[in-house]
Amino acid sequence: MDKENKKSEGQNLLKNLEYKNTNAWETSGEDIKTAAFDYCENYKHFMNISKTEREYTKNAILEAQKNGYQEIELLYKTKGKLQPGDKVYKNIKNKALVLAVIGNSPLVQGINLIGAHIDAPRIDIKQNPLYESTDMVFLKTHYYGGIKKYQWVTIPLALHGVIVTKEHTTIDVIVGEDETDPVFTITDLLPHLASEQMQKKMSEGIAGEDLNLLFGSIPYNDSEIKEKVKLNVLNILNQKYGIKEEDFISAELELVPSFKARDVGIDKSLVGAYGQDDRVCAYPSMTALFEINTPDRTSVCVLADKEEIGSMGNTGAESSFIENFVAKLCAYTNEFYNDIILRDCLESSKMLSADVSAGVDPNFKGTHDVLNASYIGKGISIMKYSGSRGKSGASDANAELVADIRRVFDENEIAWQTTELGGVDKGGGGTIARYVANLGIDVLDCGVPVLSMHSPFEVASKIDIYMAHRAYREFYLYSF
Ligand code: MN
Ligand code: MN
């Protein structure tokens, strides 16, 4: 026996008894590392074309169709009762999506769900946004989700969304993504004249009502007109989209960073992109589903909207769309459907609430309890409970489910770690977990650690992203 492998009794005991999470790059073979890099090329591409919940939904449906998924009502109408292996989806108002593969066991015995959200913090255009000031035109905005407002000024922004006319024509808008497009920006005060601003608290340095978007500056050539630049802008919008000023009232226009997802680090180990909360979990929960053909328990992927503002509204997880979809799965696989079948199905179901965790950032020491925090590169993180202060508002997973998930991940060599959302009394938050828990479903938070969460450029590790894909796949396939 050579000396290096000879361990003392205490060393062996320690190795056996101590909990230690390790760096997933170190524990992964070359094949996994290569797969992680390859996987993230597709991920970055999908991020670049899916910067809003509407775009995400549209692109996810196209991907689903490529993978053999059909609209659930259409499939049921054409073939009748759904069978194991059938792949279906339901579009929720163009802003959320549910996908499923029918499994071998009856729905009443429960299903495996993974739920992520596809909305992200951003800046929305107000319903009556246009005004002219000092020969420039601006759009009034209202930020969406928890942003640090100072991060969103002086960066190039793209305008995405829809304008729906009174005649119910939907006009898709994307300006600022193509290299030949203009971009937009919100200006900030020069430091030379900012002595007053710089004395303010960071939360007040940029006021919400001052997030006004620079939109144009050429006057319309008519001396009889008072607001010439505004008229010129309206004229351009009318020529380009056929709209009038009033049409903004029935529009959903969102400002997002115009830059693309990029590799970060000299070793290209990380991805920097807008909207990784929570598309860094939404994308793997979707690609994992696409690898599944006929699972034991029916696999369901939920891609919800409105999480960043409390999951309200009929595209948010608090509404009935998840329950409605599961009811349909129960009914379309069982001609003797009744309400108890749905209730029993929900109570026997397991779910991962796939949402990002706050990776430890050594630039901000003291934010986390280092023993109970997630780290970049150490794999997917499971968070038993969320909430703030004394676990207020927490979704607290049952220990039995946490034990099951540890086993699923360990059996399949998934790098994972445990986390809570920051140290006690440092703040906190929640995910869609609490809403699905209300349906009786056993649910655990489980996602990718990110840095700079809710900023225009969030950072995540490629190995963690790929581990999420693998972890979610094994969860879907597990026979609880
Ligand atoms: Mn999130
Ligand atoms: Mn968030």
Side-chain angles (χ1 to χ4, degrees):
M1 196 183 285
D2 71 280
K3 206 179 167 209
E4 256 139 49
N5 288 335
K6 196 178 170 184
K7 291 210 168 82
S8 73
E9 189 207 341
Q11 281 173 319
N12 281 326
L13 192 62
L14 187 68
K15 190 168 180 254
N16 196 21
L17 296 183
E18 188 185 41
Y19 166 65
K20 221 175 174 132
N21 55 21
T22 44
N23 188 300
W25 293 111
E26 282 185 298
T27 51
S28 300
E30 284 307 315
D31 52 333
I32 298 283
K33 290 183 204 169
T34 308
F37 271 79
D38 290 348
Y39 181 83
C40 285
E41 289 305 304
N42 293 329
Y43 168 62
K44 284 183 290 174
H45 172 69
F46 199 83
M47 292 297 277
N48 290 338
I49 60 171
S50 311
K51 289 190 176 181
T52 67
E53 62 284 8
R54 284 179 184 269
E55 288 164 10
Y56 196 104
T57 301
K58 193 154 106 187
N59 291 322
I61 289 173
L62 290 174
E63 284 300 308
Q65 288 169 340
K66 273 189 232 161
N67 284 278
Y69 283 72
Q70 297 179 65
E71 207 286 321
I72 186 166
E73 304 295 341
L74 285 179
L75 185 63
Y76 184 64
K77 270 185 197 133
T78 50
K79 73 168 276 189
K81 190 176 165 182
L82 302 183
Q83 306 291 339
D86 281 344
K87 297 172 175 178
V88 292
Y89 70 85
K90 168 91 182 150
N91 176 352
I92 313 294
K93 314 269 177 196
N94 301 319
K95 298 200 257 190
L97 184 68
V98 201
L99 306 131
V101 192
I102 307 297
N104 282 315
S105 57
L107 268 284
V108 69
Q109 291 175 17
I111 59 181
N112 294 350
L113 304 101
I114 298 180
H117 66 92
I118 55 174
D119 63 317
R122 59 176 191 253
I123 297 175
D124 287 343
I125 303 296
K126 288 195 190 196
Q127 297 332 117
N128 186 22
L130 266 174
Y131 71 95
E132 179 172 333
S133 180
T134 60
D135 289 355
M136 290 183 281
V137 156
F138 296 87
L139 297 186
K140 297 293 296 175
T141 72
H142 198 139
Y143 65 97
Y144 173 98
I147 63 167
K148 291 164 120 177
K149 293 184 272 290
Y150 69 84
Q151 294 177 334
W152 293 75
V153 296
T154 70
I155 60 169
L157 297 165
L159 187 66
H160 290 236
V162 293
I163 303 163
V164 186
T165 66
K166 259 195 296 197
E167 296 70 35
H168 224 280
T169 307
T170 301
I171 302 153
D172 288 306
V173 176
I174 299 183
V175 185
E177 295 295 336
D178 193 278
E179 287 302 311
T180 60
D181 281 351
V183 295
F184 308 97
T185 196
I186 297 167
T187 54
D188 193 7
L189 192 56
L190 63 166
H192 319 64
L193 301 179
S195 59
E196 208 177 294
Q197 181 196 37
M198 297 299 273
Q199 299 309 312
K200 291 184 182 171
K201 292 200 295 183
M202 276 170 98
S203 60
E204 292 162 4
I206 303 287
E209 209 53 80
D210 294 340
L211 289 172
N212 300 316
L213 187 78
L214 182 53
F215 204 63
S217 63
I218 297 178
Y220 190 85
N221 191 11
D222 185 336
S223 57
E224 297 300 305
I225 301 297
K226 200 164 147 249
E227 295 187 315
K228 297 190 188 72
V229 184
K230 182 176 168 184
L231 180 61
N232 195 47
V233 161
L234 281 171
N235 194 35
I236 292 169
L237 290 172
N238 183 259
Q239 283 168 4
K240 192 169 162 71
Y241 299 112
I243 60 161
K244 299 175 180 175
E245 188 172 13
E246 192 182 300
D247 291 315
F248 276 108
I249 291 172
S250 50
E252 289 178 1
L253 295 169
E254 308 175 4
L255 292 166
V256 296
S258 76
F259 42 72
K260 293 192 171 11
R262 298 290 295 265
D263 291 341
V264 172
I266 195 72
D267 54 7
K268 302 186 176 179
S269 58
L270 307 142
V271 173
Y274 161 69
Q276 298 206 80
D277 174 9
D278 179 34
R279 294 165 194 147
V280 76
C281 297
Y283 183 77
S285 63
M286 176 179 87
T287 56
L289 191 75
F290 292 157
E291 290 186 358
I292 290 167
N293 287 314
T294 311
D296 174 20
R297 285 154 65 93
T298 293
S299 313
V300 176
C301 174
V302 176
L303 303 172
D305 178 30
K306 295 288 184 284
E307 193 276 344
E308 294 295 355
I309 57 168
S311 294
M312 313 301 184
N314 66 4
T315 56
E318 201 180 7
S319 74
S320 53
F321 81 81
I322 300 171
E323 194 178 352
N324 291 350
F325 183 77
V326 177
K328 268 186 188 148
L329 292 178
C330 290
Y332 294 173
T333 54
N334 182 349
E335 56 273 48
F336 305 109
Y337 174 77
N338 64 47
D339 193 52
I340 292 300
I341 291 177
L342 170 63
R343 304 291 143 204
D344 284 349
C345 170
L346 291 169
E347 285 190 347
S348 302
S349 292
K350 311 286 181 192
M351 176 154 173
L352 294 180
S353 171
D355 208 341
V356 294
S357 64
V360 169
D361 185 336
N363 286 327
F364 299 94
K365 288 200 171 71
T367 314
H368 294 87
D369 162 16
V370 293
L371 286 177
N372 290 281
S374 57
Y375 295 84
I376 294 297
K378 290 194 170 182
I380 190 160
S381 61
I382 57 178
M383 181 169 70
K384 186 175 181 296
Y385 52 83
S386 52
S388 46
R389 302 180 306 281
K391 300 193 180 181
S392 179
S395 171
D396 190 353
N398 296 315
E400 290 82 350
L401 178 64
V402 182
D404 284 337
I405 301 303
R406 283 173 55 202
R407 187 173 64 252
V408 175
F409 291 172
D410 280 346
E411 281 175 5
N412 293 287
E413 296 179 331
I414 310 293
W416 63 274
Q417 50 186 328
T418 181
T419 190
E420 59 178 6
L421 186 53
V424 180
D425 289 342
K426 293 288 178 191
T431 70
I432 66 167
R434 68 187 108 166
Y435 307 113
V436 292
N438 289 342
L439 298 172
I441 299 174
D442 249 334
V443 57
L444 172 65
D445 281 299
C446 176
V448 175
V450 303
L451 301 177
S452 306
M453 194 191 293
H454 285 201
S455 78
F457 194 67
E458 302 171 311
V459 174
S461 164
K462 287 183 180 176
I463 198 79
D464 298 338
I465 298 169
Y466 185 57
M467 283 297 163
H469 167 81
R470 292 183 60 217
Y472 294 157
R473 180 176 180 277
E474 299 308 330
F475 172 81
Y476 282 131
L477 289 170
Y478 199 75
S479 308
F480 287 95

